[in-house]
Amino acid sequence: MSKLIEVKNLKKWFYVGKVVAGKRKALRAVDGLSFFINNKEVLGLVGESGCGKTTCGKMLLRIIDPTSGSIFFDNEEITYLDKNKMKRFRRRMMIIYQDPFGSLDPRMRIGKAISEPLEVHNIGTPHEREERVTELMEKVGLSPDQINRYPHEFSGGQRQRIGIARALATNPEFIVADESVSALDVSIQAQIINLLKELQEEFGLTLLFVAHDLSVVKHICDRVAVMYLGKIMEMADKKSLFSNPKHPYTQALLSAIPIPDPKKRKKQEILMGDVPSPVNPPTGCRFHTRCPQVMDICKKEEPPLREIKPGYHVACHLYD
């Protein structure tokens, strides 16, 4: 299977605070990620809030520029392309934002909002764009009769459907779904997840699905990468990771998923302490300050993300 997206040692540091002795502190939001996403695959990127998931997704689209590292799209490096050279890739990659209301202009009718990417990339005539908008609205479960309404006239779930329609406008190959259901009611979440799954299969989309809800990730993703404090701790196919997680952090995350049966009980791994600051991350393994299986080597040496069996990667000294 061919790779559509590949990143190598990708970093994004935000410099904060005052300059002291000619230096400033760096918030290491993303600190050396290497992974790939196959064509027509859904990769789930999970982890606690603040671990760098959204920053990673935005870097893949070049919404924000990386500090260092490489980004490849369809075997072409796009890491440092300027605005003009990047434009030919823009129509092939889109994003669905977490906040459906915040991502829409409240003064713009939704028909105009959905057609805006077509206008930016000069795709089709005005009549063809109108037909495309009508087609997309029906595809995502909205009535074309609503084309002239404003965002505030829709519910949260409907606004997210508008966001999905807009992301599909230019017929992209790659979409970053950034916490695209976390702001919605649980009943609406299921509808949007099923819609995304149907559209991904119908159009052969490649997705980076950013989320913190592992039960949602299990439903839609093919592979899963688990992030902690700017690093990938574990990455594997969905079935292997959920049935037999290797990293203590992944084990703790999975143990926190509630079972919908009051008669069943399972042992829950309770992580002690707080997530360290990305401005001053721990030496060695980033997770060692909270790990129930910590060893001396964990405090001194950072474990590389290594392949312990075909397709299964883990960054943990337990598997040295």
Side-chain angles (χ1 to χ4, degrees):
M1 188 178 290
S2 62
K3 300 173 185 176
L4 183 66
I5 299 288
E6 185 173 14
V7 302
K8 297 178 180 178
N9 199 28
L10 194 63
K11 296 183 180 181
K12 182 61 181 178
W13 292 10
F14 296 97
Y15 292 94
V16 297
K18 297 180 179 179
V19 178
V20 178
K23 295 182 179 180
R24 294 176 72 189
K25 290 183 177 180
L27 188 154
R28 304 179 183 189
V30 172
D31 201 17
L33 300 189
S34 297
F35 65 89
F36 63 87
I37 311 176
N38 288 319
N39 198 28
K40 300 182 181 180
E41 180 184 47
V42 183
L43 175 68
L45 191 60
V46 302
E48 293 171 274
S49 296
C51 71
K53 307 185 298 295
T54 295
T55 302
C56 174
K58 288 183 176 180
M59 276 196 289
L60 297 190
L61 302 179
R62 287 291 312 282
I63 294 174
I64 58 176
D65 293 328
T67 301
S68 63
S70 301
I71 306 167
F72 295 87
F73 182 88
D74 200 13
N75 294 319
E76 291 190 59
E77 185 168 5
I78 64 170
T79 320
Y80 302 108
L81 293 183
D82 62 29
K83 185 178 180 180
N84 292 328
K85 290 180 180 178
M86 190 65 203
K87 189 171 181 180
R88 68 186 179 94
F89 291 97
R90 293 287 182 202
R91 63 182 291 177
R92 301 173 65 188
M93 48 174 70
M94 290 288 170
I95 186 169
I96 302 168
Y97 287 99
Q98 177 178 357
D99 180 6
F101 190 64
S103 65
L104 295 169
D105 186 337
R107 298 165 296 181
M108 186 182 289
R109 299 179 192 272
I110 63 137
K112 173 74 172 174
I114 295 171
S115 67
E116 192 174 30
L118 300 172
E119 296 173 16
V120 169
H121 294 283
N122 198 25
I123 300 172
T125 64
H127 179 67
E128 288 171 338
R129 291 170 192 162
E130 190 175 335
E131 287 185 336
R132 176 67 172 160
V133 171
T134 300
E135 175 193 345
L136 288 169
M137 289 184 69
E138 291 176 339
K139 189 71 70 176
V140 300
L142 295 170
S143 170
D145 295 336
Q146 301 170 313
I147 196 169
N148 289 318
R149 293 186 181 180
Y150 291 95
H152 73 269
E153 299 179 76
F154 294 88
S155 67
Q158 288 175 318
R159 285 195 287 262
Q160 196 57 286
R161 290 174 189 271
I162 295 166
I164 293 170
R166 182 175 59 179
L168 292 171
T170 60
N171 221 359
E173 298 158 57
F174 175 57
I175 291 179
V176 173
D178 179 21
E179 298 274 14
S180 52
V181 296
S182 63
L184 306 176
D185 293 338
V186 175
S187 58
I188 306 301
Q189 282 185 15
Q191 295 175 21
I192 298 299
I193 288 297
N194 288 332
L195 173 63
L196 283 172
K197 192 172 178 65
E198 291 168 10
L199 293 171
Q200 188 269 330
E201 292 172 354
E202 180 178 348
F203 294 110
L205 298 169
T206 303
L207 284 181
L208 177 69
F209 191 83
V210 177
H212 60 263
D213 188 334
L214 285 161
S215 57
V216 170
V217 168
K218 187 177 183 180
H219 181 65
I220 194 173
C221 296
D222 301 307
R223 287 190 303 130
V224 181
V226 180
M227 278 189 74
Y228 182 81
L229 213 60
K231 295 276 189 180
I232 290 179
M233 298 285 107
E234 189 166 1
M235 182 166 56
D237 67 275
K238 172 179 64 179
K239 185 177 179 181
S240 298
L241 188 135
F242 277 86
S243 62
N244 187 21
K246 306 297 184 186
H247 200 283
Y249 179 58
T250 311
Q251 293 168 1
L253 289 181
L254 291 177
S255 75
I257 299 176
I259 299 175
D261 187 342
K263 295 180 181 178
K264 290 186 177 180
R265 292 281 186 270
K266 69 174 180 179
K267 184 180 178 182
Q268 186 172 346
E269 300 281 349
I270 305 296
L271 295 179
M272 305 304 290
D274 297 322
V275 180
S277 169
V279 175
N280 188 26
T283 56
C285 176
R286 296 283 170 94
F287 186 60
H288 85 257
T289 57
R290 304 173 73 198
C291 182
Q293 301 182 57
V294 63
M295 302 178 290
D296 286 340
I297 191 173
C298 303
K299 302 174 183 179
K300 301 171 185 175
E301 295 182 22
E302 183 177 328
L305 186 67
R306 60 167 61 89
E307 191 171 26
I308 59 171
K309 61 181 181 179
Y312 205 118
H313 296 76
V314 63
C316 185
H317 289 299
L318 291 170
Y319 304 94
D320 288 351

